[in-house]
Amino acid sequence: MSDAAQPTAAEVRAAAEAVKTALDRHLAAVERRTGDDDSAVHEAFNQLAAAGEVYDELLYDRYDEVTPFEIPGADDALPPYAGPEEPHAVSVLIRRDYTVAEPRRLLAQAQRVEAAEFEETLTDDDTATTVPGALGILFGEYEPDEIASRHREFGLEEGDSTLWVTAAEEAPEPGEWLGAPFEDADPQQVICRFDVSAVFDRDDSDEPHEAHEQDDDAEPDDHDR
């Protein structure tokens, strides 16, 4: 950004004052809340998020500094919980992203598994000689949680992940959703969610940061988005 386009020191200070005002309004709304879905609290939260984002951007543009926290935007927040008060069933929706960082290691691990299963020499026609085939073998052999804990052994690098716990009045019939397992995920049925992403890391650590729980009784945590 050129010097001419940079915000002035006065603009940055004004944005900081706006954050202070928004904090006071948010606290006052929380103290006066009338229930879990109090619209005044949600509105004050969104105003605080917007003020924090403006301040963070101006601070960076003017001084090349950032705040020690992230405030999620209003559009990223979960909608108010609208599921049953006493769910009789829950669904756990999990997404984990990986990068195939070491294809040779991945192939070697899959070939070891396939050799142990068939006890025969592998040929070019065997599935363990291709990356898609090797992934199919490893994910078929190991539980997803084991792959997550041993991903480096399989030549994989972790990306973002999320886990949603959603509520239902009753469990679906066997085979009912197998054709499109994630099609009917309703954010308003989410009881809680847990996110892991490198975007949350502020200390350049190699370990991913696990987000706090997000539920219908609390505003989203700074690291939930």
PDB file of all heavy atoms in Angstrom, residues 5-42:
ATOM      1  N   ALA A   5      -2.194   6.149   0.325  1.00  0.00           N
ATOM      2  CA  ALA A   5      -3.401   5.377   0.580  1.00  0.00           C
ATOM      3  C   ALA A   5      -3.482   4.894   2.018  1.00  0.00           C
ATOM      4  O   ALA A   5      -4.488   4.342   2.428  1.00  0.00           O
ATOM      5  CB  ALA A   5      -3.477   4.194  -0.374  1.00  0.00           C
ATOM      6  N   GLN A   6      -2.421   5.067   2.793  1.00  0.00           N
ATOM      7  CA  GLN A   6      -2.417   4.597   4.168  1.00  0.00           C
ATOM      8  C   GLN A   6      -3.394   5.395   5.024  1.00  0.00           C
ATOM      9  O   GLN A   6      -3.552   6.597   4.837  1.00  0.00           O
ATOM     10  CB  GLN A   6      -1.015   4.708   4.766  1.00  0.00           C
ATOM     11  CG  GLN A   6      -0.061   3.634   4.308  1.00  0.00           C
ATOM     12  CD  GLN A   6       1.273   3.753   5.035  1.00  0.00           C
ATOM     13  OE1 GLN A   6       1.569   4.795   5.607  1.00  0.00           O
ATOM     14  NE2 GLN A   6       2.047   2.696   4.996  1.00  0.00           N
ATOM     15  N   PRO A   7      -4.024   4.734   5.986  1.00  0.00           N
ATOM     16  CA  PRO A   7      -4.881   5.472   6.920  1.00  0.00           C
ATOM     17  C   PRO A   7      -4.036   6.362   7.811  1.00  0.00           C
ATOM     18  O   PRO A   7      -2.855   6.089   8.056  1.00  0.00           O
ATOM     19  CB  PRO A   7      -5.559   4.364   7.724  1.00  0.00           C
ATOM     20  CG  PRO A   7      -4.616   3.200   7.636  1.00  0.00           C
ATOM     21  CD  PRO A   7      -4.000   3.290   6.270  1.00  0.00           C
ATOM     22  N   THR A   8      -4.624   7.409   8.298  1.00  0.00           N
ATOM     23  CA  THR A   8      -3.916   8.309   9.200  1.00  0.00           C
ATOM     24  C   THR A   8      -3.914   7.742  10.610  1.00  0.00           C
ATOM     25  O   THR A   8      -4.700   6.847  10.958  1.00  0.00           O
ATOM     26  CB  THR A   8      -4.589   9.688   9.213  1.00  0.00           C
ATOM     27  OG1 THR A   8      -5.908   9.559   9.773  1.00  0.00           O
ATOM     28  CG2 THR A   8      -4.680  10.266   7.803  1.00  0.00           C
ATOM     29  N   ALA A   9      -3.029   8.286  11.437  1.00  0.00           N
ATOM     30  CA  ALA A   9      -2.983   7.870  12.835  1.00  0.00           C
ATOM     31  C   ALA A   9      -4.309   8.160  13.525  1.00  0.00           C
ATOM     32  O   ALA A   9      -4.771   7.390  14.382  1.00  0.00           O
ATOM     33  CB  ALA A   9      -1.833   8.576  13.548  1.00  0.00           C
ATOM     34  N   ALA A  10      -4.948   9.271  13.136  1.00  0.00           N
ATOM     35  CA  ALA A  10      -6.236   9.632  13.731  1.00  0.00           C
ATOM     36  C   ALA A  10      -7.313   8.613  13.376  1.00  0.00           C
ATOM     37  O   ALA A  10      -8.179   8.284  14.197  1.00  0.00           O
ATOM     38  CB  ALA A  10      -6.649  11.028  13.271  1.00  0.00           C
ATOM     39  N   GLU A  11      -7.276   8.101  12.149  1.00  0.00           N
ATOM     40  CA  GLU A  11      -8.256   7.097  11.729  1.00  0.00           C
ATOM     41  C   GLU A  11      -8.073   5.795  12.509  1.00  0.00           C
ATOM     42  O   GLU A  11      -9.043   5.142  12.888  1.00  0.00           O
ATOM     43  CB  GLU A  11      -8.121   6.849  10.231  1.00  0.00           C
ATOM     44  CG  GLU A  11      -8.620   7.999   9.366  1.00  0.00           C
ATOM     45  CD  GLU A  11      -8.352   7.785   7.893  1.00  0.00           C
ATOM     46  OE1 GLU A  11      -7.314   7.160   7.565  1.00  0.00           O
ATOM     47  OE2 GLU A  11      -9.169   8.234   7.063  1.00  0.00           O
ATOM     48  N   VAL A  12      -6.817   5.432  12.751  1.00  0.00           N
ATOM     49  CA  VAL A  12      -6.553   4.218  13.528  1.00  0.00           C
ATOM     50  C   VAL A  12      -7.055   4.389  14.958  1.00  0.00           C
ATOM     51  O   VAL A  12      -7.690   3.504  15.528  1.00  0.00           O
ATOM     52  CB  VAL A  12      -5.049   3.880  13.518  1.00  0.00           C
ATOM     53  CG1 VAL A  12      -4.772   2.652  14.383  1.00  0.00           C
ATOM     54  CG2 VAL A  12      -4.557   3.645  12.105  1.00  0.00           C
ATOM     55  N   ARG A  13      -6.786   5.563  15.538  1.00  0.00           N
ATOM     56  CA  ARG A  13      -7.240   5.807  16.917  1.00  0.00           C
ATOM     57  C   ARG A  13      -8.761   5.833  17.001  1.00  0.00           C
ATOM     58  O   ARG A  13      -9.354   5.335  17.969  1.00  0.00           O
ATOM     59  CB  ARG A  13      -6.643   7.121  17.440  1.00  0.00           C
ATOM     60  CG  ARG A  13      -7.000   7.440  18.882  1.00  0.00           C
ATOM     61  CD  ARG A  13      -6.065   8.468  19.472  1.00  0.00           C
ATOM     62  NE  ARG A  13      -4.714   7.947  19.592  1.00  0.00           N
ATOM     63  CZ  ARG A  13      -4.309   7.158  20.582  1.00  0.00           C
ATOM     64  NH1 ARG A  13      -5.163   6.784  21.527  1.00  0.00           N
ATOM     65  NH2 ARG A  13      -3.077   6.736  20.643  1.00  0.00           N
ATOM     66  N   ALA A  14      -9.399   6.399  15.980  1.00  0.00           N
ATOM     67  CA  ALA A  14     -10.866   6.424  15.963  1.00  0.00           C
ATOM     68  C   ALA A  14     -11.425   5.004  15.890  1.00  0.00           C
ATOM     69  O   ALA A  14     -12.433   4.688  16.527  1.00  0.00           O
ATOM     70  CB  ALA A  14     -11.357   7.258  14.787  1.00  0.00           C
ATOM     71  N   ALA A  15     -10.770   4.137  15.116  1.00  0.00           N
ATOM     72  CA  ALA A  15     -11.204   2.740  15.016  1.00  0.00           C
ATOM     73  C   ALA A  15     -11.027   2.025  16.355  1.00  0.00           C
ATOM     74  O   ALA A  15     -11.857   1.199  16.746  1.00  0.00           O
ATOM     75  CB  ALA A  15     -10.417   2.022  13.923  1.00  0.00           C
ATOM     76  N   ALA A  16      -9.940   2.357  17.064  1.00  0.00           N
ATOM     77  CA  ALA A  16      -9.726   1.763  18.390  1.00  0.00           C
ATOM     78  C   ALA A  16     -10.814   2.200  19.354  1.00  0.00           C
ATOM     79  O   ALA A  16     -11.315   1.399  20.163  1.00  0.00           O
ATOM     80  CB  ALA A  16      -8.348   2.163  18.924  1.00  0.00           C
ATOM     81  N   GLU A  17     -11.204   3.476  19.295  1.00  0.00           N
ATOM     82  CA  GLU A  17     -12.279   3.963  20.155  1.00  0.00           C
ATOM     83  C   GLU A  17     -13.603   3.281  19.821  1.00  0.00           C
ATOM     84  O   GLU A  17     -14.415   3.004  20.711  1.00  0.00           O
ATOM     85  CB  GLU A  17     -12.420   5.481  20.002  1.00  0.00           C
ATOM     86  CG  GLU A  17     -11.240   6.275  20.541  1.00  0.00           C
ATOM     87  CD  GLU A  17     -11.025   6.072  22.029  1.00  0.00           C
ATOM     88  OE1 GLU A  17     -12.024   5.894  22.754  1.00  0.00           O
ATOM     89  OE2 GLU A  17      -9.856   6.087  22.471  1.00  0.00           O
ATOM     90  N   ALA A  18     -13.810   2.994  18.533  1.00  0.00           N
ATOM     91  CA  ALA A  18     -15.033   2.303  18.118  1.00  0.00           C
ATOM     92  C   ALA A  18     -15.080   0.893  18.704  1.00  0.00           C
ATOM     93  O   ALA A  18     -16.146   0.396  19.080  1.00  0.00           O
ATOM     94  CB  ALA A  18     -15.119   2.249  16.595  1.00  0.00           C
ATOM     95  N   VAL A  19     -13.917   0.238  18.776  1.00  0.00           N
ATOM     96  CA  VAL A  19     -13.858  -1.095  19.389  1.00  0.00           C
ATOM     97  C   VAL A  19     -14.212  -1.009  20.868  1.00  0.00           C
ATOM     98  O   VAL A  19     -14.965  -1.837  21.399  1.00  0.00           O
ATOM     99  CB  VAL A  19     -12.461  -1.722  19.199  1.00  0.00           C
ATOM    100  CG1 VAL A  19     -12.341  -3.015  20.005  1.00  0.00           C
ATOM    101  CG2 VAL A  19     -12.187  -1.998  17.731  1.00  0.00           C
ATOM    102  N   LYS A  20     -13.672  -0.007  21.558  1.00  0.00           N
ATOM    103  CA  LYS A  20     -13.974   0.161  22.989  1.00  0.00           C
ATOM    104  C   LYS A  20     -15.472   0.373  23.205  1.00  0.00           C
ATOM    105  O   LYS A  20     -16.074  -0.204  24.120  1.00  0.00           O
ATOM    106  CB  LYS A  20     -13.186   1.341  23.553  1.00  0.00           C
ATOM    107  CG  LYS A  20     -11.677   1.162  23.510  1.00  0.00           C
ATOM    108  CD  LYS A  20     -10.972   2.431  23.967  1.00  0.00           C
ATOM    109  CE  LYS A  20      -9.476   2.338  23.778  1.00  0.00           C
ATOM    110  NZ  LYS A  20      -8.771   3.586  24.173  1.00  0.00           N
ATOM    111  N   THR A  21     -16.068   1.204  22.347  1.00  0.00           N
ATOM    112  CA  THR A  21     -17.507   1.456  22.463  1.00  0.00           C
ATOM    113  C   THR A  21     -18.298   0.186  22.208  1.00  0.00           C
ATOM    114  O   THR A  21     -19.265  -0.125  22.926  1.00  0.00           O
ATOM    115  CB  THR A  21     -17.933   2.550  21.466  1.00  0.00           C
ATOM    116  OG1 THR A  21     -17.220   3.760  21.748  1.00  0.00           O
ATOM    117  CG2 THR A  21     -19.434   2.808  21.550  1.00  0.00           C
ATOM    118  N   ALA A  22     -17.893  -0.574  21.186  1.00  0.00           N
ATOM    119  CA  ALA A  22     -18.582  -1.820  20.857  1.00  0.00           C
ATOM    120  C   ALA A  22     -18.442  -2.837  21.980  1.00  0.00           C
ATOM    121  O   ALA A  22     -19.375  -3.607  22.260  1.00  0.00           O
ATOM    122  CB  ALA A  22     -18.041  -2.380  19.546  1.00  0.00           C
ATOM    123  N   LEU A  23     -17.286  -2.864  22.639  1.00  0.00           N
ATOM    124  CA  LEU A  23     -17.091  -3.767  23.784  1.00  0.00           C
ATOM    125  C   LEU A  23     -18.058  -3.421  24.908  1.00  0.00           C
ATOM    126  O   LEU A  23     -18.669  -4.311  25.522  1.00  0.00           O
ATOM    127  CB  LEU A  23     -15.646  -3.666  24.280  1.00  0.00           C
ATOM    128  CG  LEU A  23     -14.593  -4.498  23.552  1.00  0.00           C
ATOM    129  CD1 LEU A  23     -13.197  -4.081  23.994  1.00  0.00           C
ATOM    130  CD2 LEU A  23     -14.813  -5.982  23.819  1.00  0.00           C
ATOM    131  N   ASP A  24     -18.186  -2.121  25.198  1.00  0.00           N
ATOM    132  CA  ASP A  24     -19.107  -1.692  26.262  1.00  0.00           C
ATOM    133  C   ASP A  24     -20.546  -2.077  25.917  1.00  0.00           C
ATOM    134  O   ASP A  24     -21.303  -2.544  26.784  1.00  0.00           O
ATOM    135  CB  ASP A  24     -19.005  -0.183  26.465  1.00  0.00           C
ATOM    136  CG  ASP A  24     -17.685   0.231  27.111  1.00  0.00           C
ATOM    137  OD1 ASP A  24     -17.056  -0.626  27.759  1.00  0.00           O
ATOM    138  OD2 ASP A  24     -17.288   1.401  26.954  1.00  0.00           O
ATOM    139  N   ARG A  25     -20.928  -1.878  24.656  1.00  0.00           N
ATOM    140  CA  ARG A  25     -22.287  -2.221  24.241  1.00  0.00           C
ATOM    141  C   ARG A  25     -22.529  -3.721  24.326  1.00  0.00           C
ATOM    142  O   ARG A  25     -23.606  -4.167  24.729  1.00  0.00           O
ATOM    143  CB  ARG A  25     -22.529  -1.721  22.821  1.00  0.00           C
ATOM    144  CG  ARG A  25     -22.629  -0.205  22.695  1.00  0.00           C
ATOM    145  CD  ARG A  25     -22.742   0.218  21.244  1.00  0.00           C
ATOM    146  NE  ARG A  25     -22.899   1.672  21.110  1.00  0.00           N
ATOM    147  CZ  ARG A  25     -22.834   2.315  19.960  1.00  0.00           C
ATOM    148  NH1 ARG A  25     -22.608   1.646  18.832  1.00  0.00           N
ATOM    149  NH2 ARG A  25     -22.986   3.621  19.916  1.00  0.00           N
ATOM    150  N   HIS A  26     -21.525  -4.497  23.946  1.00  0.00           N
ATOM    151  CA  HIS A  26     -21.678  -5.953  23.993  1.00  0.00           C
ATOM    152  C   HIS A  26     -21.842  -6.434  25.427  1.00  0.00           C
ATOM    153  O   HIS A  26     -22.712  -7.262  25.726  1.00  0.00           O
ATOM    154  CB  HIS A  26     -20.471  -6.621  23.331  1.00  0.00           C
ATOM    155  CG  HIS A  26     -20.559  -8.109  23.287  1.00  0.00           C
ATOM    156  ND1 HIS A  26     -19.894  -8.916  24.183  1.00  0.00           N
ATOM    157  CD2 HIS A  26     -21.254  -8.942  22.464  1.00  0.00           C
ATOM    158  CE1 HIS A  26     -20.160 -10.185  23.900  1.00  0.00           C
ATOM    159  NE2 HIS A  26     -20.982 -10.232  22.878  1.00  0.00           N
ATOM    160  N   LEU A  27     -21.000  -5.920  26.320  1.00  0.00           N
ATOM    161  CA  LEU A  27     -21.101  -6.312  27.728  1.00  0.00           C
ATOM    162  C   LEU A  27     -22.458  -5.921  28.303  1.00  0.00           C
ATOM    163  O   LEU A  27     -23.093  -6.707  29.020  1.00  0.00           O
ATOM    164  CB  LEU A  27     -19.980  -5.666  28.535  1.00  0.00           C
ATOM    165  CG  LEU A  27     -19.998  -5.944  30.040  1.00  0.00           C
ATOM    166  CD1 LEU A  27     -19.941  -7.443  30.319  1.00  0.00           C
ATOM    167  CD2 LEU A  27     -18.841  -5.229  30.722  1.00  0.00           C
ATOM    168  N   ALA A  28     -22.925  -4.716  27.986  1.00  0.00           N
ATOM    169  CA  ALA A  28     -24.228  -4.264  28.490  1.00  0.00           C
ATOM    170  C   ALA A  28     -25.349  -5.155  27.966  1.00  0.00           C
ATOM    171  O   ALA A  28     -26.281  -5.506  28.710  1.00  0.00           O
ATOM    172  CB  ALA A  28     -24.469  -2.810  28.073  1.00  0.00           C
ATOM    173  N   ALA A  29     -25.268  -5.554  26.699  1.00  0.00           N
ATOM    174  CA  ALA A  29     -26.290  -6.426  26.126  1.00  0.00           C
ATOM    175  C   ALA A  29     -26.272  -7.794  26.798  1.00  0.00           C
ATOM    176  O   ALA A  29     -27.322  -8.383  27.070  1.00  0.00           O
ATOM    177  CB  ALA A  29     -26.076  -6.564  24.617  1.00  0.00           C
ATOM    178  N   VAL A  30     -25.071  -8.312  27.074  1.00  0.00           N
ATOM    179  CA  VAL A  30     -24.957  -9.610  27.742  1.00  0.00           C
ATOM    180  C   VAL A  30     -25.536  -9.542  29.148  1.00  0.00           C
ATOM    181  O   VAL A  30     -26.230 -10.459  29.604  1.00  0.00           O
ATOM    182  CB  VAL A  30     -23.480 -10.066  27.777  1.00  0.00           C
ATOM    183  CG1 VAL A  30     -23.314 -11.277  28.687  1.00  0.00           C
ATOM    184  CG2 VAL A  30     -22.987 -10.384  26.366  1.00  0.00           C
ATOM    185  N   GLU A  31     -25.259  -8.457  29.847  1.00  0.00           N
ATOM    186  CA  GLU A  31     -25.764  -8.303  31.217  1.00  0.00           C
ATOM    187  C   GLU A  31     -27.286  -8.203  31.244  1.00  0.00           C
ATOM    188  O   GLU A  31     -27.910  -8.599  32.238  1.00  0.00           O
ATOM    189  CB  GLU A  31     -25.138  -7.057  31.851  1.00  0.00           C
ATOM    190  CG  GLU A  31     -23.651  -7.200  32.134  1.00  0.00           C
ATOM    191  CD  GLU A  31     -23.018  -5.902  32.604  1.00  0.00           C
ATOM    192  OE1 GLU A  31     -23.589  -4.818  32.308  1.00  0.00           O
ATOM    193  OE2 GLU A  31     -21.963  -5.956  33.266  1.00  0.00           O
ATOM    194  N   ARG A  32     -27.879  -7.711  30.152  1.00  0.00           N
ATOM    195  CA  ARG A  32     -29.331  -7.546  30.106  1.00  0.00           C
ATOM    196  C   ARG A  32     -30.025  -8.659  29.334  1.00  0.00           C
ATOM    197  O   ARG A  32     -31.236  -8.588  29.123  1.00  0.00           O
ATOM    198  CB  ARG A  32     -29.687  -6.200  29.444  1.00  0.00           C
ATOM    199  CG  ARG A  32     -29.221  -4.980  30.195  1.00  0.00           C
ATOM    200  CD  ARG A  32     -29.893  -3.715  29.621  1.00  0.00           C
ATOM    201  NE  ARG A  32     -29.628  -3.582  28.196  1.00  0.00           N
ATOM    202  CZ  ARG A  32     -28.635  -2.848  27.681  1.00  0.00           C
ATOM    203  NH1 ARG A  32     -27.798  -2.208  28.488  1.00  0.00           N
ATOM    204  NH2 ARG A  32     -28.466  -2.769  26.379  1.00  0.00           N
ATOM    205  N   ARG A  33     -29.306  -9.681  28.935  1.00  0.00           N
ATOM    206  CA  ARG A  33     -29.878 -10.702  28.062  1.00  0.00           C
ATOM    207  C   ARG A  33     -31.105 -11.346  28.686  1.00  0.00           C
ATOM    208  O   ARG A  33     -31.171 -11.562  29.902  1.00  0.00           O
ATOM    209  CB  ARG A  33     -28.838 -11.757  27.701  1.00  0.00           C
ATOM    210  CG  ARG A  33     -28.460 -12.737  28.792  1.00  0.00           C
ATOM    211  CD  ARG A  33     -27.316 -13.654  28.346  1.00  0.00           C
ATOM    212  NE  ARG A  33     -27.631 -14.295  27.085  1.00  0.00           N
ATOM    213  CZ  ARG A  33     -26.698 -14.870  26.298  1.00  0.00           C
ATOM    214  NH1 ARG A  33     -25.428 -14.852  26.662  1.00  0.00           N
ATOM    215  NH2 ARG A  33     -27.048 -15.447  25.184  1.00  0.00           N
ATOM    216  N   THR A  34     -32.069 -11.664  27.843  1.00  0.00           N
ATOM    217  CA  THR A  34     -33.339 -12.227  28.312  1.00  0.00           C
ATOM    218  C   THR A  34     -33.481 -13.702  27.986  1.00  0.00           C
ATOM    219  O   THR A  34     -34.469 -14.323  28.357  1.00  0.00           O
ATOM    220  CB  THR A  34     -34.511 -11.472  27.664  1.00  0.00           C
ATOM    221  OG1 THR A  34     -34.401 -11.551  26.233  1.00  0.00           O
ATOM    222  CG2 THR A  34     -34.510 -10.012  28.105  1.00  0.00           C
ATOM    223  N   GLY A  35     -32.503 -14.272  27.269  1.00  0.00           N
ATOM    224  CA  GLY A  35     -32.564 -15.684  26.919  1.00  0.00           C
ATOM    225  C   GLY A  35     -31.408 -16.062  26.026  1.00  0.00           C
ATOM    226  O   GLY A  35     -30.563 -15.229  25.668  1.00  0.00           O
ATOM    227  N   ASP A  36     -31.388 -17.350  25.661  1.00  0.00           N
ATOM    228  CA  ASP A  36     -30.273 -17.846  24.858  1.00  0.00           C
ATOM    229  C   ASP A  36     -30.199 -17.189  23.492  1.00  0.00           C
ATOM    230  O   ASP A  36     -29.114 -17.041  22.924  1.00  0.00           O
ATOM    231  CB  ASP A  36     -30.386 -19.366  24.681  1.00  0.00           C
ATOM    232  CG  ASP A  36     -30.212 -20.103  25.989  1.00  0.00           C
ATOM    233  OD1 ASP A  36     -29.633 -19.502  26.922  1.00  0.00           O
ATOM    234  OD2 ASP A  36     -30.647 -21.270  26.081  1.00  0.00           O
ATOM    235  N   ASP A  37     -31.324 -16.819  22.916  1.00  0.00           N
ATOM    236  CA  ASP A  37     -31.357 -16.264  21.563  1.00  0.00           C
ATOM    237  C   ASP A  37     -31.685 -14.770  21.572  1.00  0.00           C
ATOM    238  O   ASP A  37     -32.389 -14.266  20.695  1.00  0.00           O
ATOM    239  CB  ASP A  37     -32.380 -17.018  20.701  1.00  0.00           C
ATOM    240  CG  ASP A  37     -32.009 -18.475  20.515  1.00  0.00           C
ATOM    241  OD1 ASP A  37     -30.801 -18.762  20.459  1.00  0.00           O
ATOM    242  OD2 ASP A  37     -32.922 -19.314  20.431  1.00  0.00           O
ATOM    243  N   ASP A  38     -31.191 -14.058  22.561  1.00  0.00           N
ATOM    244  CA  ASP A  38     -31.461 -12.626  22.675  1.00  0.00           C
ATOM    245  C   ASP A  38     -30.897 -11.894  21.452  1.00  0.00           C
ATOM    246  O   ASP A  38     -29.689 -11.917  21.199  1.00  0.00           O
ATOM    247  CB  ASP A  38     -30.804 -12.091  23.949  1.00  0.00           C
ATOM    248  CG  ASP A  38     -31.276 -10.685  24.291  1.00  0.00           C
ATOM    249  OD1 ASP A  38     -31.250  -9.825  23.392  1.00  0.00           O
ATOM    250  OD2 ASP A  38     -31.668 -10.455  25.452  1.00  0.00           O
ATOM    251  N   SER A  39     -31.768 -11.240  20.697  1.00  0.00           N
ATOM    252  CA  SER A  39     -31.353 -10.572  19.467  1.00  0.00           C
ATOM    253  C   SER A  39     -30.404  -9.411  19.742  1.00  0.00           C
ATOM    254  O   SER A  39     -29.531  -9.092  18.923  1.00  0.00           O
ATOM    255  CB  SER A  39     -32.581 -10.075  18.694  1.00  0.00           C
ATOM    256  OG  SER A  39     -33.328  -9.152  19.474  1.00  0.00           O
ATOM    257  N   ALA A  40     -30.559  -8.748  20.893  1.00  0.00           N
ATOM    258  CA  ALA A  40     -29.689  -7.623  21.228  1.00  0.00           C
ATOM    259  C   ALA A  40     -28.250  -8.083  21.427  1.00  0.00           C
ATOM    260  O   ALA A  40     -27.298  -7.396  21.041  1.00  0.00           O
ATOM    261  CB  ALA A  40     -30.201  -6.921  22.487  1.00  0.00           C
ATOM    262  N   VAL A  41     -28.080  -9.269  22.010  1.00  0.00           N
ATOM    263  CA  VAL A  41     -26.738  -9.816  22.213  1.00  0.00           C
ATOM    264  C   VAL A  41     -26.106 -10.161  20.871  1.00  0.00           C
ATOM    265  O   VAL A  41     -24.931  -9.861  20.617  1.00  0.00           O
ATOM    266  CB  VAL A  41     -26.777 -11.049  23.127  1.00  0.00           C
ATOM    267  CG1 VAL A  41     -25.394 -11.700  23.212  1.00  0.00           C
ATOM    268  CG2 VAL A  41     -27.268 -10.673  24.511  1.00  0.00           C
ATOM    269  N   HIS A  42     -26.883 -10.797  19.997  1.00  0.00           N
ATOM    270  CA  HIS A  42     -26.362 -11.147  18.674  1.00  0.00           C
ATOM    271  C   HIS A  42     -25.973  -9.895  17.896  1.00  0.00           C
ATOM    272  O   HIS A  42     -24.931  -9.850  17.233  1.00  0.00           O
ATOM    273  CB  HIS A  42     -27.397 -11.954  17.894  1.00  0.00           C
ATOM    274  CG  HIS A  42     -27.551 -13.360  18.378  1.00  0.00           C
ATOM    275  ND1 HIS A  42     -26.616 -14.345  18.108  1.00  0.00           N
ATOM    276  CD2 HIS A  42     -28.516 -13.965  19.105  1.00  0.00           C
ATOM    277  CE1 HIS A  42     -26.999 -15.478  18.655  1.00  0.00           C
ATOM    278  NE2 HIS A  42     -28.152 -15.272  19.273  1.00  0.00           N
TER     279      HIS A  42
END
